[in-house]
Amino acid sequence: MPHRTARGRRTAVSAVVAALALGLSGTMAQAATGAARPGPAALADSQPSWATARADQGAVPASSRMSVEVLLSSQDPSGLAAYAQAVSSPGSPEYHHYLTPAQQNARFGPTAAQSAAVRSWLTGSGLKVTSSTEQYVSVAGTAAQLTAAFSTPLHNYAVGGHTYYAPQHPALVPAAVADAVVGVEGLDNAPHVNKPASAPATAPSAGNRLVTGPNGAPYIGANPCTSYYDQSASKNLPKAYGGYQPYTMCGYLPGQLRSAYQIPQSGLSGKGVTVAIVDAYGSSTIESDVDTFDKYSGFPQFKAGQFADLSTPADFTDQSSCGDWTPEESLDVEEVHTMAPDAKINYVGANSCNDIDFISAESDIVDNHLADVVSDSYTEDLYDTNGNTSPVLINAYNQVFEEGAAEGIGFYFASGDCADDAPAIVATGVNCDTYSSEPQTTFQPSIPWVTAVGATAIGIGKNQNYEFETGMGDSKAALQNGTTWSSLPGSFIFGSGGGTSNYFAQPWYQKGVVPDSLADTLLTGQPASQPMREVPDVAMEGDLLLTTMVGFTQKLPDGTTGFAEQGYGGTSIACPLFAGEQSDAEQSLGFPIGFANPEIYAKYQSLGTQAFHPVTDNPGGQTKGVAYDKGLLNGVRQGDLYTLGTDYTLKATPGYNDVSGLGSPTLGYLKSFKQ
C-alpha cells in the first residue's frame, strides 16, 4: 500500500460519493415518513472541568477561525479489543493470525455510512472538511459554525494565569451519528503537549569549547569523563558507600552496548524487519548524522534505501511552543540502528508535539502498515494543572494501538524520566513535567496495548563486559567544606518512570506476575478499587550519569553549527534500544511478534532470569555511585556525588518492580524466539 505523506494524513478524503448519498437518503427517508427523531446526544467530557462560571471571561468572537477533529468510533469496539487480545496471546487459536490494513478497516473501522453521516452533519453546519481517515474527520470554520454544529457557545476562561477557550456547555451531536463519534478534539485549546523522554548528561561540561571524545569525534560534555564504568576515580574526593566512586561516563558507544547485551553472540541484526520511529518534526540531517556517528564509532553505516524520512517539514506547526526535538530524533534512530544494524527504519515525524498530530502519525503507520515495530519516545501526564487529558484522546490512542495489534504491529513507549512524577520532585528533576498535579504514571506508556520501556544504569567494563544493572534513579549530593558529602543520597534529579496507573485496569498478561502490593495501591497512596496496570514492562540502559553517546548536528560552543557528540540519558535511550532488540527477536522468529506483552510476560513466567537480567537498587548488595571532581575554588575542593538506584518512591526489588518491570533482556531472551 502506498505511503501517505504527513500532508496526506491531514488532507486525504476517503469517503465516496455513493456512501454520502446513502447517508443523506436515510435522513431524507426519515423526514418523509415523519418518524420521531431521538434528541441529540451529549459528548462525555467535552467540557473541561476548569470551564466554570466563575472563570468565564465571555464569548469567543463569532468570526474566530478554528479547527477540530471529530474522532470516529470502531464499528465493533469490543470485537476489536477481543481480536487484538486473541491475536497477541500465546495459546489462542488466533495467535499471530494478523489482519491486513484493509481487512482490519473493513471489520472494525467505521462503516462508509457512518463516516458519510458524520461528514454530512459537519458540512451542514457550514464547516469545511479538511481531512478524513479511519480514525477522525478534521474540519475548519468559525466559532459560530462550531457553535451551530455542537450546540454550545465557546467562551474564554481564566485558568492558572492563562486564558483558554472551551465549550460553555457539554457539546451535543445528532443522535444519528452518536454511535460513530468517540469525541471531538479542539473545542478547547488548553495545552496538552508531549515532550521527549531524554536529557543531556547533567555533570559539568567542558565549558565553552569542544574536546575530542573517546571515539575521536568532537565532544561536548563532562570533562574529565571515562570510556567505561570504573575506569578511574578521583581520590581527591571523599569516599562513599565503602570506596572512591568512579568518574561519570563520556557515553557508551554502540559496540559496548551490543557486547554487554550479547547481541553479537545471537548472530542477529534485525535483517528483514522494518522499524518506525515516531517523534515530533524531523531533522534534515538525521541520516547523515547517524552515518557520521557510526563512522566515528567504527559501526556499519546505513545502506542505500535502509533509512526513509517520511516527515514533511512544510506541514510542521507550533515549533516555538514544542521546542527542539533534534536530539531526540537522532538518538532514537541511532539506538535502533545500534541494536539492529540491518533493520530498515522509517522515520515518521508528527507535525507538532500535540496529541492529534501524534495520533495522526501513529494512525498512518497502522493504516499503511509502515512497520512491524514502532519506537515512541514521547510522553505526557494524564493529570495536570492545565486540565486533565480528555478521555476522548485516551480512547483515540487506545483504539489506534488496538488496530495495530490486530495487524501485528508492536508499539514501544518510553516510560518517562521523573519516577512517580510527584509534584514534590518537579523542581529538582531535570526532565519532569512541571504541570503534574499528582503522583502518576505518564499517559501513553500506561496504555495496556503498548510495551512500556523503563531505564537502567548499566555498568560496562573494560572488555565491554556486563558488570551490573541497577534501576535508573539518580540523586545528587554536593561536597561540603571540601571534605564531606551532604546528606546522602541527596536530591532526586532523574529516574525511570513507573508505578501504578490510576486510570487503566490491570491487563490480562500482568495477572499472576505483578505483585498485588503494587497493582492494588495507587501512587497517591490510596487503595485502588481493582488491580491496575503497572508500568514499565521491561527496561534497558538509559542512565543520565552512565550515559549513552549520541551524535547530531547542533549549535557548537563557538556559535557555529556542526556535528558533535554528547552523553544522553533517559527512557528515550532505553525504548529504541529495546525496539532494536525486538527487531532481532522478530528476525529470529521469522514473522512479526506484534503486540509483544503477552509473549514477554509468558517468557518471564517460563524462563525467569534465563530471559531477563534482575535489576535491583543495590546490585550485588552494593550501592553504586558516580563522582565528579570540579577542582578547587578559593583553595577548597568542589564536587558532586550522584547515587544510582534511587528512583524516589519507586523501588527496584527482586522480581517484577515498578522501576525496571521484568528486567532487561538476556541472550536467552533472544534465543527463545528461534523456531
Side-chain angles (χ1 to χ4, degrees), residues 35-200:
R37 299 182 181 182
L43 280 179
D45 305 299
S46 56
Q47 184 187 26
S49 59
W50 45 260
T52 64
R54 184 173 183 177
D56 197 330
Q57 303 295 296
V60 173
S63 60
S64 297
R65 301 292 302 179
M66 299 176 176
S67 62
V68 301
E69 284 74 31
V70 177
L71 302 169
L72 303 177
S73 175
S74 165
Q75 61 180 282
D76 183 8
S78 60
L80 173 59
Y83 192 83
Q85 177 173 337
V87 80
S88 306
S89 298
S92 164
E94 288 84 19
Y95 186 45
H96 287 167
H97 290 182
Y98 303 126
L99 303 177
T100 67
Q103 290 170 331
Q104 186 277 127
N105 189 23
R107 186 166 174 178
F108 298 115
T111 66
Q114 286 176 319
S115 297
V118 170
R119 288 165 53 83
S120 177
W121 154 55
L122 294 168
T123 56
S125 299
L127 297 167
K128 180 181 178 180
V129 175
T130 57
S131 73
S132 179
T133 73
E134 179 186 342
Q135 288 78 22
Y136 63 83
V137 176
S138 292
V139 292
T142 64
Q145 291 166 332
L146 288 171
T147 293
F150 294 98
S151 302
T152 176
L154 297 177
H155 279 215
N156 288 315
Y157 295 89
V159 184
H162 303 278
T163 300
Y164 305 127
Y165 64 75
Q168 188 183 25
H169 311 295
L172 303 178
V173 298
V177 300
D179 64 341
V181 176
V182 173
V184 59
E185 167 65 11
L187 284 180
D188 75 81
N189 67 336
H192 280 290
V193 299
N194 294 272
K195 64 180 183 183
S198 64

Side-chain angles (χ1 to χ4, degrees), residues 2-33:
H3 166 67
R4 290 193 304 244
T5 65
R7 180 178 293 278
R9 292 200 296 268
R10 303 303 297 270
T11 59
V13 177
S14 61
V16 294
V17 174
L20 180 59
L22 176 64
L24 290 176
S25 64
T27 302
M28 292 170 63
Q30 185 181 48
T33 60

Side-chain angles (χ1 to χ4, degrees), residues 192-408:
H192 280 290
V193 299
N194 294 272
K195 64 180 183 183
S198 64
T202 61
S205 71
N208 191 32
R209 61 189 177 92
L210 286 174
V211 296
T212 300
N215 62 350
Y219 172 73
I220 303 171
N223 187 33
C225 59
T226 61
S227 298
Y228 58 88
Y229 180 76
D230 209 11
Q231 180 180 10
S232 61
S234 174
K235 295 185 178 180
N236 293 320
L237 299 175
K239 294 180 180 180
Y241 306 121
Y244 295 108
Q245 296 301 307
Y247 276 122
T248 185
M249 289 285 305
C250 304
Y252 289 127
L253 296 171
Q256 293 172 290
L257 291 167
R258 288 176 57 79
S259 180
Y261 285 114
Q262 297 183 289
I263 305 301
Q265 291 92 318
S266 74
L268 300 169
S269 63
K271 186 175 182 179
V273 180
T274 300
V275 181
I277 292 172
V278 180
D279 286 312
Y281 313 119
S283 165
S284 62
T285 61
I286 294 178
E287 185 172 9
S288 62
D289 285 345
V290 176
D291 282 341
T292 301
F293 176 72
D294 289 337
K295 182 178 179 181
Y296 276 115
S297 301
F299 196 68
Q301 297 173 294
F302 281 132
K303 303 176 183 70
Q306 190 179 351
F307 175 83
D309 184 353
L310 305 182
S311 62
T312 53
D315 297 313
F316 295 166
T317 62
D318 297 330
Q319 288 174 283
S320 60
S321 58
C322 289
D324 183 12
W325 284 64
T326 301
E328 184 65 55
E329 296 156 4
S330 296
L331 75 83
D332 285 348
V333 177
E334 288 168 6
E335 303 323 311
V336 169
H337 188 59
T338 288
M339 303 304 274
D342 286 330
K344 178 176 173 55
I345 296 177
N346 285 330
Y347 179 83
V348 184
N351 290 339
S352 77
C353 65
N354 298 312
D355 281 305
I356 194 61
D357 284 315
F358 275 116
I359 291 172
S360 177
E362 306 287 5
S363 299
D364 194 24
I365 293 169
V366 171
D367 292 347
N368 296 282
H369 205 116
L370 297 179
D372 296 327
V373 177
V374 185
S375 178
D376 299 280
S377 292
Y378 61 90
T379 64
E380 70 175 311
D381 286 336
L382 271 177
Y383 306 101
D384 70 39
T385 55
N386 277 333
N388 298 340
T389 298
S390 166
V392 170
L393 284 175
I394 298 170
N395 292 337
Y397 274 110
N398 199 70
Q399 182 171 300
V400 171
F401 299 141
E402 288 178 341
E403 292 167 356
E407 294 181 19

